[in-house]
Amino acid sequence: MCGIVGYVGGRPALDVVVEGLARLEYRGYDSAGVAVLADGKLATAKRAGKLVNLRGALEDEPPPEGTLGMGHTRWATHGAPNDRNAHPHVDCTGSVAVIHNGIIENFAELRAELEENGHRLLSDTDTEAVAHLLEDEVKAGGGLVEAMRRVCRRLEGAFTLVAVHTGDPDLVVGARRNSPLVVGVGEGENFLASDVAAFIAHTRNAIELGQDQIVELRAGGVTVTDFEGRPADVKEYHVDWDVSAAEKGGFDYFMLKEIAEQPQAVADTLLGRIGADGRLHLDEMRIPDRELREVDKIIIVACGTSYHAGLIAKYAIEHWAGLPCEVELASEFRYRDPILSPSTLVIAISQSGETMDALMAVRHAREQKAKLLGICNVNGSTLPRECDGVLYTHAGPEIAVASTKAFLTQLVAVYLIALYIAQVRGTKWGDEVFAMVQLLERMPEKVEKVLETMEPVRELARSLSGEHCVLFLGRHVGFPVALEGALKLKELAYMHAEGFAAGELKHGPIALIEEGLPVVVVVPPRAREVLHDKIVSNIQEIRARGARTIVIAEDGDESVEPYADTLIGVPAVPTLLQPLVTTVPLQVFACELASAKGHDVDQPRNLAKSVTVE
Ligand code: AGP
């Protein structure tokens, strides 16, 4: 969602800020703006639409050159995505400018109060209220940092705020509650951003900010305090990837690059976690084995693609670890009454670590004293701070809105956790656990094999670009894969796409089948005879009703050939690991189909990479 960049140092701020915004474009936005402080005056520019519009406006009317500035890409919540509502917002005097990510829930009261006191608010946003509140507080004395503290104490909801004031031309102030903000520490220059991608070209040293903290950014240093003014403990870290990881590297889209990176991402996520003796070492989980033995139930919370990883985790955890496992959409979790106790392990899965629904679910679980484990891809994000332990996926930066390599690495993480719990608890599946760990190590080469055979999938996708609907069927772990295939197609190709458990067909969805309707079927390995044969019957049933069957089955599965209009082969792997290979053709399919339709593959309409508001 909204992207934020702040800069103070020795370079032209506008260049740094606009470049940073370009690196945050992937977050999803519908307008953009900048503010630069030069010669004691604030200059702002903002435009609806993509950055190209803002760049055009800046070329037409270049602002004076300054070395302090900030920029924003806005994903509209309050007010239409137009020039007027774009950030930054300024106060009545034009001396304070503010950008914001999040939702200020009590904005209506604040606006009413401000208007009653004579302020003129020009936009429909919640953010503008903050600019005017800061105006009053700066007038009241104490400087911009103190003003920000007083204002933050009045705000309800989620926010990252960044503000500048003409009265202190070497200062950028940031504040965060429930919304992402990181500091980039340079030499003689410092940065603020929604994520490190914005400043990775300049520095790889970053500071994680905690909840309810204020950061005072000057060219010569960074000071972090809480909303009461007490010094805060800061955690500095080194970003372990460089700017090339956040570039397309010769691919047409980030999504294509990220699909291609999957074998490496899977290998990196396994790295260092399997000992020479074949046993798993997940010390970073920071939940002692003794406590893991006491766990009697696991609940997984996540959203979107991460939720699909959770659905697959359920099969692995119940089978290998022998523990009951529930999977819950994070957005629903805290609005019902889940039964949790200190012996419940809640696992939150989130690529970004900033998804508000996932964070709220974790807080809800914490209140009820459950143990909390995060699976997360972004170092320095909020989720790991809120959990007892975390298992990082090592997918590297995922820039395309549609999640691909993060999903595969989430699967690796959940397999590792399920197998580790099995190892610690000594379930009856001991031999299988050992064998699975060995097989997991061979998965990067299997994923690579899938990638080598994707040309027919691309051709198929292009041939279907005129269709309006595609259905996806699967059984067992193939069911969440079907859901994931449908989600990818919806978000990228804007087509009606649904995933079903194949066993449910006759309970309703079969009525949708009509002549020529493309139906993708994910077939379990032949070794799972019962499952396999049942789905082969399902393929026959839909084909008899006119469906165009696109069958994903393991290489050499001749039994499906007579019923497949298109057959896509994947390497043979055990059932539980099969999603690692069957998901890949579905990613390629959606990407190619969206591209054939002329869509923006990396930034689909209306979507944001991390959904930081509820
Ligand atoms: C996936 O393609 C989506 N863009 C989306 O469903 C995503 O997985 C979801 O928003 C959760 O994000 P997270 O993993 O960062 O929490």
Side-chain angles (χ1 to χ4, degrees):
M1 294 197 141
C2 303
I4 277 179
V5 186
Y7 174 75
V8 54
R11 301 179 223 215
L14 189 64
D15 297 350
V16 178
V17 163
V18 173
E19 179 204 329
L21 290 182
R23 292 198 185 279
L24 296 183
E25 275 197 292
Y26 77 93
R27 296 173 67 86
Y29 70 105
D30 35 43
S31 60
V34 289
V36 174
L37 221 161
D39 309 324
K41 287 202 178 108
L42 262 176
T44 60
K46 36 198 210 169
R47 284 290 179 278
K50 294 290 177 188
L51 263 188
V52 63
N53 299 351
L54 177 66
R55 286 189 208 268
L58 291 168
E59 266 168 37
D60 293 346
E61 258 183 79
E65 202 165 280
T67 56
L68 179 147
M70 61 186 189
H72 188 264
T73 46
R74 172 173 186 254
W75 191 89
T77 54
H78 294 71
N82 53 28
D83 291 358
R84 196 165 51 87
N85 290 330
H87 300 202
H89 290 284
V90 294
D91 68 329
C92 298
T93 65
S95 59
V96 174
V98 177
I99 54 180
H100 165 223
N101 175 18
I103 294 177
I104 294 165
E105 285 163 8
N106 56 337
F107 88 102
E109 296 115 81
L110 294 170
R111 275 183 78 111
E113 176 193 309
L114 286 161
E115 277 167 345
E116 212 178 292
N117 293 340
H119 288 270
R120 267 193 72 223
L121 280 78
L122 307 173
S123 75
D124 311 315
T125 65
D126 48 348
T127 309
E128 195 185 357
V130 177
H132 294 270
L133 289 170
L134 283 172
E135 175 189 346
D136 286 349
E137 293 297 347
V138 166
K139 273 188 204 139
L144 184 63
V145 177
E146 191 45 44
M148 182 64 98
R149 270 191 203 111
R150 292 197 292 257
V151 170
C152 285
R153 293 200 292 260
R154 296 198 60 196
L155 304 180
E156 287 165 22
F159 51 85
T160 287
L161 292 162
V162 175
V164 296
H165 176 229
T166 52
D168 200 342
D170 175 44
L171 172 68
V172 180
V173 175
R176 99 166 265 264
R177 170 182 287 166
N178 284 337
S179 208
L181 186 65
V182 282
V183 179
V185 184
E187 280 181 26
E189 60 181 359
N190 290 302
F191 307 79
L192 275 178
S194 307
D195 74 56
V196 296
F199 55 70
I200 194 74
H202 307 292
T203 179
R204 288 166 71 181
N205 297 325
I207 292 177
E208 245 179 72
L209 290 178
Q211 276 296 71
D212 288 8
Q213 289 186 348
I214 300 260
V215 56
E216 185 178 341
L217 200 78
R218 296 186 185 274
V222 175
T223 310
V224 185
T225 48
D226 67 14
F227 285 180
E228 305 302 325
R230 291 178 292 246
D233 284 340
V234 292
K235 195 175 152 211
E236 210 168 321
Y237 65 99
H238 187 73
V239 182
D240 58 7
W241 47 272
D242 65 15
V243 69
S244 64
E247 287 172 350
K248 286 187 197 154
F251 287 86
D252 287 344
Y253 311 112
F254 278 108
M255 184 177 177
L256 284 175
K257 177 179 174 238
E258 289 159 9
I259 289 173
E261 285 171 344
Q262 293 185 111
Q264 191 58 50
V266 168
D268 289 347
T269 302
L270 289 167
L271 198 70
R273 288 168 169 166
I274 303 172
D277 57 355
R279 287 180 71 79
L280 292 169
H281 301 280
L282 302 183
D283 309 341
E284 67 217 275
M285 266 171 49
R286 294 200 311 261
I287 300 179
D289 289 356
R290 178 184 40 80
E291 287 185 25
L292 276 182
R293 281 188 206 101
E294 283 159 13
V295 168
D296 58 15
K297 176 164 87 169
I298 293 181
I299 299 183
I300 298 177
V301 288
C303 305
T305 289
S306 300
Y307 171 71
H308 297 154
L311 291 175
I312 292 165
K314 175 181 168 72
Y315 291 87
I317 288 169
E318 290 183 347
H319 181 72
W320 288 327
L323 280 171
C325 178
E326 294 167 19
V327 191
E328 184 87 32
L329 286 166
S331 52
E332 290 294 320
F333 184 67
R334 73 187 179 118
Y335 297 108
R336 57 181 193 87
D337 299 307
I339 313 294
L340 306 175
S341 75
S343 55
T344 309
L345 174 65
V346 171
I347 304 179
I349 308 177
S350 172
Q351 186 283 132
S352 60
E354 299 293 354
T355 299
M356 183 59 74
D357 288 318
L359 295 175
M360 289 303 178
V362 161
R363 285 176 202 161
H364 188 61
R366 166 140 342 261
E367 278 163 20
Q368 294 172 61
K369 314 255 181 306
K371 288 182 219 333
L372 296 165
L373 175 63
I375 294 177
C376 183
N377 192 46
V378 179
N379 198 342
S381 62
T382 306
L383 182 78
R385 298 172 72 98
E386 306 237 347
C387 291
D388 300 313
V390 62
L391 195 69
Y392 280 105
T393 50
H394 295 296
E398 190 178 68
I399 308 289
V401 163
S403 187
T404 53
K405 60 176 180 171
F407 178 66
L408 255 59
T409 57
Q410 287 169 346
L411 294 183
V412 171
V414 298
Y415 292 144
L416 288 173
I417 290 168
L419 291 167
Y420 183 71
I421 297 175
Q423 181 180 293
V424 167
R425 295 169 64 94
T427 61
K428 57 183 174 170
W429 305 107
D431 292 350
E432 189 178 338
V433 168
F434 185 76
M436 279 302 142
V437 171
Q438 311 301 303
L439 279 168
L440 262 182
E441 288 197 286
R442 299 198 49 205
M443 292 314 291
E445 88 197 48
K446 307 270 182 202
V447 177
E448 190 69 65
K449 277 227 160 60
V450 181
L451 289 171
E452 282 163 11
T453 57
M454 284 298 94
E455 196 40 45
V457 175
R458 282 190 277 272
E459 261 171 47
L460 171 76
R462 290 192 289 270
S463 76
L464 294 180
S465 63
E467 297 291 333
H468 298 291
C469 173
V470 180
L471 301 185
F472 295 77
L473 299 180
R475 271 182 183 268
H476 194 264
V477 288
F479 168 44
V481 171
L483 293 175
E484 176 61 8
L487 177 64
K488 286 279 123 15
L489 205 60
K490 276 179 209 155
E491 65 180 338
L492 295 171
Y494 317 151
M495 281 167 79
H496 175 233
E498 293 297 330
F500 297 107
E504 281 294 292
L505 253 189
K506 296 197 223 24
H507 300 286
I510 202 164
L512 292 169
I513 307 292
E514 56 187 21
E515 198 57 40
L517 180 80
V519 183
V520 179
V521 188
V522 183
V523 179
R526 281 162 295 180
R528 290 300 291 266
E529 213 175 308
V530 181
L531 277 179
H532 176 271
D533 294 356
K534 286 218 157 56
I535 211 160
V536 175
S537 302
N538 294 141
I539 301 172
Q540 293 174 57
E541 286 155 12
I542 55 169
R543 200 148 186 265
R545 288 162 177 81
R548 173 174 175 175
T549 56
I550 300 157
V551 177
I552 302 179
E554 66 183 11
D555 289 328
D557 185 348
E558 286 165 10
S559 60
V560 290
E561 270 174 33
Y563 318 112
D565 291 308
T566 307
L567 181 58
I568 300 164
V570 292
V573 298
T575 312
L576 280 169
L577 302 187
Q578 208 196 24
L580 285 170
V581 290
T582 48
T583 307
V584 177
L586 302 181
Q587 299 168 341
V588 172
F589 179 70
C591 182
E592 189 68 25
L593 210 151
S595 154
K597 280 173 154 249
H599 292 175
D600 186 339
V601 169
D602 287 333
Q603 293 171 48
R605 68 182 180 201
N606 303 335
L607 292 179
K609 179 66 182 164
S610 41
V611 181
T612 53
V613 295
E614 267 192 279

